[in-house]
Amino acid sequence: MHTEKTMKGRLFVNFITLILLNDLRGKVSAIKPRDRKYWDFKDMLNKVSTYSRIHFTGTYKDLWTVPTKAQRLIFNLLKIEYHWKGKIVNLEKPIEPEDNGEQEDEEP
């Protein structure tokens, strides 16, 4: 069933997709072809398509698939965070523990 709301939603999603693809295309073209092994943005998307998160409910932590060498290269070139050997790689800022607003008052 195609309603007007459904079609507007599809157009909006396609518009956002075009913006993201254009941004990716620009970032990829800014990288020297030799550094990116002469891959274009479609090749890069195909290579990283298998990298995924496995989510568990309950007390278990999420798992990430092991990135291949090509995926790590692409993530490093585009400065995208990924999980590798139990660590998050390409973090711009290290994650600091949250402060609950509890500060101890020091007495002189």
Side-chain angles (χ1 to χ4, degrees):
M1 295 192 329
H2 295 289
T3 63
E4 185 178 349
K5 286 184 180 181
T6 304
M7 289 308 295
K8 284 183 178 180
R10 282 184 163 198
L11 283 173
F12 179 72
V13 169
N14 285 336
F15 178 70
I16 298 298
T17 303
L18 285 173
I19 291 172
L20 293 173
L21 284 175
N22 191 32
D23 184 49
L24 178 64
R25 212 176 271 137
K27 287 180 179 179
V28 170
S29 65
I31 301 168
K32 293 179 184 176
R34 188 174 188 177
D35 291 343
R36 59 181 154 97
K37 300 190 179 222
Y38 303 98
W39 296 328
D40 63 354
F41 79 99
K42 288 181 183 178
D43 293 333
M44 288 184 167
L45 284 176
N46 285 335
K47 291 193 182 303
V48 300
S49 66
T50 59
Y51 183 71
S52 61
R53 179 180 76 164
I54 303 164
H55 178 71
F56 297 103
T57 56
T59 59
Y60 299 105
K61 292 182 180 180
D62 293 348
L63 294 176
W64 296 84
T65 57
V66 177
T68 63
K69 186 176 180 180
Q71 289 172 340
R72 291 192 311 268
L73 173 67
I74 293 167
F75 293 148
N76 288 332
L77 288 173
L78 297 175
K79 297 179 180 129
I80 296 173
E81 297 174 5
Y82 64 96
H83 292 258
W84 173 246
K85 296 185 178 181
K87 297 179 184 176
I88 301 175
V89 182
N90 286 339
L91 274 178
E92 295 216 2
K93 285 184 179 178
I95 298 173
E96 297 179 14
E98 292 182 13
D99 186 15
N100 294 336
E102 299 174 10
Q103 295 179 352
E104 295 181 17
D105 292 333
E106 294 181 18
E107 295 182 23

